[in-house]
Amino acid sequence: RYDILVQQLKDGRKDAFDKIFRVFYRMLCREARGFFRNDHLVEEVVCDVFLKLWNNRESLEINTSLKDYLSKAVYN
Protein backbone atom coordinates (compact mmCIF):
# COMPACT_ATOMS: atom_id res chain seq x y z
CA ARG A 1 0.00 0.00 0.00
CA TYR A 2 2.81 2.39 0.82
CA ASP A 3 5.16 1.25 -1.94
CA ILE A 4 4.46 4.34 -4.02
CA LEU A 5 5.08 6.64 -1.04
CA VAL A 6 8.36 4.89 -0.30
CA GLN A 7 9.48 5.31 -3.89
CA GLN A 8 8.48 8.98 -3.83
CA LEU A 9 10.41 9.36 -0.57
CA LYS A 10 13.47 7.77 -2.18
CA ASP A 11 13.08 10.29 -5.01
CA GLY A 12 13.31 13.10 -2.44
CA ARG A 13 9.69 14.19 -2.45
CA LYS A 14 8.99 16.02 0.78
CA ASP A 15 5.23 15.58 0.39
CA ALA A 16 5.70 11.80 0.59
CA PHE A 17 7.77 12.19 3.76
CA ASP A 18 5.10 14.46 5.24
CA LYS A 19 2.39 11.90 4.52
CA ILE A 20 4.43 9.07 6.08
CA PHE A 21 5.04 11.26 9.13
CA ARG A 22 1.33 12.08 9.51
CA VAL A 23 0.26 8.46 9.10
CA PHE A 24 2.79 6.85 11.46
CA TYR A 25 3.87 9.45 14.05
CA ARG A 26 1.23 8.74 16.69
CA MET A 27 1.47 4.98 16.27
CA LEU A 28 5.24 5.11 16.72
CA CYS A 29 4.88 7.31 19.81
CA ARG A 30 2.51 4.74 21.33
CA GLU A 31 5.02 2.00 20.63
CA ALA A 32 7.91 4.02 22.07
CA ARG A 33 5.91 4.60 25.27
CA GLY A 34 6.20 0.86 25.82
CA PHE A 35 9.95 1.38 26.23
CA PHE A 36 10.11 4.88 27.71
CA ARG A 37 7.80 6.56 30.18
CA ASN A 38 9.19 10.03 29.55
CA ASP A 39 7.17 11.83 26.83
CA HIS A 40 10.14 13.99 25.86
CA LEU A 41 12.26 10.89 25.28
CA VAL A 42 9.44 9.23 23.32
CA GLU A 43 9.18 12.21 20.98
CA GLU A 44 12.96 12.40 20.63
CA VAL A 45 13.26 8.74 19.66
CA VAL A 46 10.42 8.93 17.13
CA CYS A 47 11.75 12.15 15.61
CA ASP A 48 15.20 10.54 15.32
CA VAL A 49 13.62 7.66 13.38
CA PHE A 50 12.00 10.09 10.95
CA LEU A 51 15.19 12.14 10.63
CA LYS A 52 17.16 9.00 9.74
CA LEU A 53 14.42 7.97 7.33
CA TRP A 54 14.76 11.28 5.49
CA ASN A 55 18.55 11.44 5.62
CA ASN A 56 18.93 7.86 4.34
CA ARG A 57 16.03 7.95 1.89
CA GLU A 58 18.11 7.36 -1.23
CA SER A 59 19.57 4.11 0.10
CA LEU A 60 16.44 2.73 1.78
CA GLU A 61 15.98 -1.01 1.57
CA ILE A 62 12.60 -1.92 3.07
CA ASN A 63 12.05 -5.66 2.90
CA THR A 64 8.97 -5.65 5.13
CA SER A 65 6.01 -3.33 5.33
CA LEU A 66 6.72 0.34 5.99
CA LYS A 67 4.91 0.01 9.31
CA ASP A 68 7.11 -2.90 10.38
CA TYR A 69 10.22 -1.10 9.19
CA LEU A 70 9.43 2.00 11.25
CA SER A 71 8.38 -0.02 14.30
CA LYS A 72 11.66 -1.93 14.19
CA ALA A 73 13.55 1.37 13.94
CA VAL A 74 11.85 2.62 17.11
CA TYR A 75 12.66 -0.65 18.86
CA ASN A 76 16.33 -0.46 17.84
Side-chain angles (χ1 to χ4, degrees):
R1 175 178 173 208
Y2 294 105
D3 294 341
I4 294 170
L5 271 179
V6 170
Q7 185 56 54
Q8 291 171 342
L9 174 68
K10 289 175 87 169
D11 292 339
R13 289 192 41 189
K14 188 173 179 321
D15 60 322
F17 175 82
D18 291 343
K19 172 113 184 186
I20 292 168
F21 184 89
R22 284 192 313 273
V23 168
F24 291 104
Y25 179 78
R26 281 200 237 181
M27 179 205 73
L28 295 175
C29 284
R30 282 192 304 272
E31 289 187 18
R33 279 190 190 93
F35 305 111
F36 309 104
R37 298 292 180 224
N38 180 309
D39 285 341
H40 177 74
L41 190 53
V42 164
E43 290 179 11
E44 187 174 327
V45 166
V46 173
C47 286
D48 281 349
V49 166
F50 281 108
L51 181 61
K52 287 178 183 174
L53 182 71
W54 178 255
N55 287 340
N56 298 315
R57 66 191 176 277
E58 293 175 357
S59 61
L60 275 180
E61 291 292 329
I62 299 178
N63 299 316
T64 62
S65 70
L66 180 57
K67 177 183 177 235
D68 289 346
Y69 179 87
L70 293 171
S71 292
K72 184 72 170 181
V74 167
Y75 175 80
N76 288 335

